[in-house]
Amino acid sequence: IQVTCPALILYSVCKQTEVNPEVVHLLGLGVALYAVLPLAAIGLTALIRPGQGKHGVYQMLLVFGNVTFMGFPVVQALYGEQAIFYMNIFNIPFTLLIFTYGIVLLREKGDSPQTMIRAKDILSPGFLSGLLSLVIYFAQIPVPSLVVNALGFVGGVTTPLSMMVIGSMIAGFSFREVFQERKLFLLSGIKLLLFPALGFVVANMLLKNPMLSGVVIISLGMPSASLCAMVSRRYGNTLQANTAAIGVFVTTLLSIVTIPLMMLLLA
């Protein structure tokens, strides 16, 4: 959260040599999406009724998908290397929100999340690296190859480290504990089926480029982000951290079925 993820965010934009008009359009759609998703998550979480102290975690699991660890390989397999860059641009608001809005969701009194954002949350390494990546890309600031290589080396360990942390959290659960969180299976249905279906309709209405449409649909069809568990462990309480870890595990497990189906439909 503090070092490797920010490095990965910066590395993803350092090798781009020009600003593509389609990229600006895609970024605009990403901003619109991440403005709508939190509102939808509030309503859907109220319908699911996860229980006291879990509303914020459920909203986080619905809003943030695992676009890096699982989304990048999927778009690469379907559309090639360029699609990875497009997916990163589309999900830049993810980076800005998970370290601000995501942290706010973990501050609950009863069932009502607090809305105050502290300055130290806004100025977190993740948020600052997201802003800096936008500046580097749109201002076309050259980054020395030595720095780029260092960012790639450090950022490359983000995924295995996050999987290790989540694994260590889940290792303490029994299967009974996992399947007692039955409402997470309802959340998984919304996350893995409803969201990409809606994305398919909207993307094909607004975008003419099949690759860009695919990036939007795949982003919406990914399981909950591993960072949800990481952020919950860093900023939340034990109940929130455990719920987030189980939520990531359940959505990832079920995505073994839904992701291949989505790839068949997009191929």
Side-chain angles (χ1 to χ4, degrees):
I1 290 176
Q2 304 295 333
V3 179
T4 69
C5 185
L8 182 64
I9 292 164
L10 290 171
Y11 176 73
S12 67
V13 299
C14 284
K15 290 189 173 183
Q16 302 301 318
T17 57
E18 60 182 13
V19 177
N20 187 330
E22 287 186 324
V23 171
V24 178
H25 187 193
L26 196 62
L27 177 60
L29 284 177
V31 171
L33 172 70
Y34 282 100
V36 171
L37 276 180
L39 299 176
I42 292 172
L44 291 168
T45 302
L47 290 175
I48 296 173
R49 301 175 65 183
Q52 186 171 345
K54 297 181 181 179
H55 280 67
V57 174
Y58 269 61
Q59 290 177 46
M60 185 186 295
L61 292 169
L62 283 169
V63 171
F64 300 108
N66 200 342
V67 294
T68 301
F69 176 58
M70 300 187 73
F72 283 4
V74 173
V75 296
Q76 182 182 21
L78 286 174
Y79 304 113
E81 294 287 342
Q82 184 66 22
I84 294 178
F85 171 67
Y86 285 145
M87 176 166 271
N88 182 68
I89 289 295
F90 180 68
N91 287 284
I92 278 178
F94 172 117
T95 304
L96 305 182
L97 285 176
I98 196 165
F99 292 104
T100 50
Y101 162 75
I103 294 171
V104 168
L105 290 176
L106 297 173
R107 302 204 186 102
E108 296 191 30
K109 287 184 178 179
D111 290 334
S112 302
Q114 299 182 50
T115 55
M116 184 178 294
I117 300 176
R118 296 175 297 185
K120 67 178 183 179
D121 296 334
I122 296 177
L123 300 178
S124 67
F127 181 82
L128 293 175
S129 64
L131 287 181
L132 185 56
S133 69
L134 285 175
V135 173
I136 290 172
Y137 177 70
F138 287 107
Q140 289 293 284
I141 299 173
V143 180
S145 59
L146 182 63
V147 175
V148 175
N149 292 336
L151 289 171
F153 181 78
V154 175
V157 301
T158 301
T159 294
L161 283 180
S162 66
M163 291 298 101
M164 289 169 65
V165 172
I166 292 170
S168 68
M169 295 166 69
I170 293 173
F173 303 149
S174 66
F175 275 105
R176 177 179 296 180
E177 286 180 285
V178 172
F179 288 98
Q180 277 179 343
E181 288 282 349
R182 295 177 183 174
K183 291 183 178 179
L184 284 173
F185 289 89
L186 178 57
L187 178 146
S188 298
I190 295 170
K191 181 73 174 167
L192 300 174
L193 297 175
L194 179 61
F195 280 6
L198 292 174
F200 180 85
V201 174
V202 174
N204 282 288
M205 288 174 56
L206 299 178
L207 297 169
K208 296 180 181 180
N209 188 326
M211 182 191 297
L212 299 185
S213 297
V215 164
V216 173
I217 297 163
I218 291 168
S219 295
L220 285 168
M222 290 297 103
S224 298
S226 55
L227 269 177
C228 293
M230 303 287 285
V231 169
S232 297
R233 187 177 180 89
R234 175 76 171 79
Y235 296 101
N237 56 40
T238 301
L239 174 65
Q240 292 170 326
N242 289 346
T243 302
I246 295 173
V248 172
F249 173 75
V250 170
T251 55
T252 302
L253 180 65
L254 295 177
S255 73
I256 294 173
V257 176
T258 59
I259 289 177
L261 289 175
M262 183 167 52
M263 291 180 72
L264 284 174
L265 290 173
L266 293 173

